[in-house]
Amino acid sequence: MRSGPQGQQATDQREGEREGGLKRPLPSDASSNNANRKRNKGESDPHEEEEENASTSTDTPTLSKNQLRKLRRQKMWEEKKKEKRNVRRQKRQDKKERKQLEREAEIAAAAAEGREPILEEKPQRAPPIKVPVTVIIDCQFEKYMMEKELVSLGNQVTRCYSDNKNSKHPVHLFISSYGGQMKERNETVLNNQHKNWKNIHFVEGDFVDAAAQAKTLMGKMSEDQLIDVLAQGKEGDSISLSNYSEDSKKKQKTAPVPEPEADDVDKSIVYLTADSPYTIDRLEPNTCYVIGGLIDKNREKGLCYKIARQRNVRTAKLPIGDFMVMSTRHVLATNHVLEIMLQWLETGDWRTAFMKVIPQRKGGKLKEDTSTPKGQENTQPENDAVTTEDVEMTSLEADQQEESATQAV
């Protein structure tokens, strides 16, 4: 038998071979000391990194296929947005240059022939006449809308400004409850273009606060500035209780019960809402008309009407059902409601205003006889909405309206 260092070495070798050449694990205290030494030296433990990565992966929510698809579509739209804008700008520039060349060619030809040049003259537009009527877009409903609906509302506000600016009889335009995502988007995505807009007022307070400011502005206008359609309706009430036919029982179940107005109701403010049992017959001077800026696919039924009743102001809806038969619901975008009011101020005729503004996809047709005998009324469901509760702008429409904001400045 071997003894001494060589024998001890052989014994250790045999024990190592029997254990498969594996080293024995260090005791727990030795392992912790080793980890502490690595930590002090700035080295990282691979097992700790795996645990941290695992915990991080569990904390981060995984996106569904539908969400990933939406993100890809949004990214593609943003990439093409700038390109489309440049294409439209280039088309306008090319058209301008082409007209300039045609003008110069006509002047040269006329000079060679010894005649006066025949030039295309722009039609002279009559100067706009501002009227003592205020339209307030109530934007206090952000918490009820999704992100894409908020973007749609912002685009509709842009269109409202453009329509009012180019109208024959512009109104005082107010945006109440201004703030939140709309304000953030105007200051970031739209590069504060709204600060160059004229004759529009952004108010952080609610529509009652905006109406108080509007009354001050309208009070400075004299009665001599009234246009004919406003001067004709000084006597009598401009709002009447809607007449419900017998075949509209389905609507009567969902519509609010007509309530008499309180004696102290503020008649200078009219909240336009589809749920109102009253119908507006004409626009009145020195009156503020409120449009609910709510795009929610009709999820929040009666919300605008409820708020108007709480603030003790009048409610009404546009007389769509009195003049038209619709193949779809009578729900219009915010800018469509304002445009109808602007058309009425210009023509004094609801029929003309409805036919010119309401989109063709609504399938609207004028009633041939508004006094149809009883029992022969149209069986289409009546749903005289005027607020923006079922409107969703496509990405193309949003892109076009953002471009119109730049042109309107």
Side-chain angles (χ1 to χ4, degrees):
M1 175 179 268
R2 296 182 181 179
S3 61
Q6 293 181 352
Q8 183 65 29
Q9 184 177 3
T11 303
D12 294 341
Q13 184 177 359
R14 286 194 299 271
E15 291 179 355
E17 291 174 355
R18 284 197 299 270
E19 294 177 0
L22 298 175
K23 294 182 180 180
R24 295 181 180 178
L26 295 174
S28 59
D29 55 347
S31 177
S32 61
N33 293 336
N34 189 21
N36 291 333
R37 287 194 298 270
K38 289 182 178 181
R39 193 177 296 109
N40 293 334
K41 293 180 180 180
E43 299 178 4
S44 60
D45 189 354
H47 297 287
E48 291 181 359
E49 290 180 354
E50 291 178 0
E51 293 178 357
E52 291 178 358
N53 293 335
S55 63
T56 304
S57 61
T58 56
D59 293 341
T60 304
T62 56
L63 297 177
S64 63
K65 292 182 179 180
N66 191 26
Q67 290 173 327
L68 292 173
R69 193 180 302 112
K70 289 182 179 179
L71 289 176
R72 285 195 296 268
R73 285 202 300 265
Q74 179 68 18
K75 185 177 180 181
M76 290 176 60
W77 178 74
E78 290 176 354
E79 291 175 352
K80 294 180 179 180
K81 179 180 176 180
K82 187 175 181 180
E83 180 182 352
K84 291 179 180 179
R85 184 178 301 169
N86 292 334
V87 170
R88 289 195 299 270
R89 187 181 292 112
Q90 185 62 39
K91 285 183 178 180
R92 290 195 301 269
Q93 184 66 23
D94 294 343
K95 184 178 179 180
K96 184 178 180 180
E97 293 177 356
R98 185 174 64 254
K99 287 187 175 182
Q100 181 65 24
L101 292 175
E102 292 175 355
R103 180 184 179 88
E104 293 175 355
E106 172 62 20
I107 293 175
E113 297 173 4
R115 60 177 176 83
E116 291 293 329
I118 303 174
L119 302 177
E120 181 181 356
E121 297 182 359
K122 293 183 178 180
Q124 294 293 331
R125 179 188 172 192
I129 302 175
K130 200 163 190 176
V131 295
V133 174
T134 297
V135 174
I136 303 172
I137 302 177
D138 184 11
C139 300
Q140 63 172 302
F141 306 105
E142 277 199 358
K143 62 182 179 180
Y144 299 102
M145 292 183 283
M146 297 181 289
E147 183 178 357
K148 62 180 181 180
E149 294 168 340
L150 292 170
V151 173
S152 295
L153 177 61
N155 292 327
Q156 291 176 23
V157 170
T158 300
R159 184 63 180 270
C160 286
Y161 166 74
S162 178
D163 291 339
N164 188 55
K165 176 178 178 291
N166 298 319
S167 66
K168 185 177 180 180
H169 300 299
V171 300
H172 298 276
L173 186 59
F174 280 75
I175 311 298
S176 65
S177 299
Y178 179 66
Q181 294 191 33
M182 178 182 289
K183 181 178 181 181
E184 180 182 356
R185 184 168 180 268
N186 283 342
E187 294 176 350
T188 56
V189 178
L190 300 180
N191 299 321
N192 283 316
Q193 293 178 8
H194 69 289
K195 292 186 177 180
N196 297 323
W197 295 357
K198 299 178 181 179
N199 300 322
I200 184 172
H201 309 273
F202 295 88
V203 180
E204 294 183 357
D206 64 1
F207 63 90
V208 176
D209 297 331
Q213 298 183 26
K215 291 174 187 176
T216 303
L217 294 176
M218 292 187 294
K220 297 178 181 179
M221 305 179 70
S222 63
E223 292 188 1
D224 296 338
Q225 295 176 273
L226 288 180
I227 57 178
D228 293 340
V229 292
L230 291 177
Q232 292 173 0
K234 287 186 177 182
E235 298 181 359
D237 198 351
S238 64
I239 296 177
S240 60
L241 186 63
S242 301
N243 294 322
Y244 293 92
S245 58
E246 295 180 357
D247 61 344
S248 61
K249 293 181 179 179
K250 183 177 180 181
K251 182 180 178 181
Q252 293 183 37
K253 292 180 181 179
T254 59
V257 178
E259 300 177 6
E261 294 179 340
D263 295 335
D264 60 342
V265 67
D266 189 350
K267 293 188 177 182
S268 65
I269 303 177
V270 180
Y271 208 119
L272 299 177
T273 169
D275 299 300
S276 176
Y278 298 92
T279 300
I280 187 170
D281 299 325
R282 65 177 185 275
L283 302 182
E284 285 188 314
N286 302 315
T287 304
C288 300
Y289 295 93
V290 185
I291 304 174
L294 177 61
I295 305 176
D296 68 337
K297 292 289 185 179
N298 208 24
R299 295 187 298 267
E300 303 294 333
K301 299 181 183 296
L303 180 60
C304 294
Y305 179 76
K306 179 180 178 182
I307 291 176
R309 295 292 297 175
Q310 290 175 349
R311 300 310 304 267
N312 197 26
V313 300
R314 306 190 81 178
T315 63
K317 60 192 172 193
L318 295 180
I320 300 177
D322 294 344
F323 297 96
M324 299 193 69
V325 177
M326 307 286 288
S327 61
T328 61
R329 298 179 61 220
H330 299 192
V331 181
L332 303 177
T334 304
N335 55 288
H336 289 155
V337 178
L338 175 62
E339 191 175 356
I340 287 173
M341 299 171 72
L342 294 174
Q343 286 295 324
W344 185 88
L345 289 171
E346 183 175 346
T347 62
D349 184 11
W350 288 117
R351 293 180 179 85
T352 303
F354 291 147
M355 290 302 296
K356 190 170 183 179
V357 176
I358 292 180
Q360 294 183 356
R361 66 177 183 273
K362 294 287 185 179
K365 295 181 179 179
L366 289 175
K367 289 184 178 180
E368 296 180 357
D369 185 6
T370 56
S371 59
T372 305
K374 185 177 180 180
Q376 300 181 11
E377 297 91 343
N378 189 277
T379 57
Q380 292 287 344
E382 298 180 3
N383 206 354
D384 308 332
V386 296
T387 53
T388 61
E389 297 170 351
D390 192 26
V391 181
E392 180 178 352
M393 303 291 292
T394 63
S395 59
L396 178 59
E397 289 172 325
D399 192 18
Q400 291 174 345
Q401 290 194 10
E402 287 181 11
E403 183 69 18
S404 68
T406 305
Q407 298 177 10
V409 175

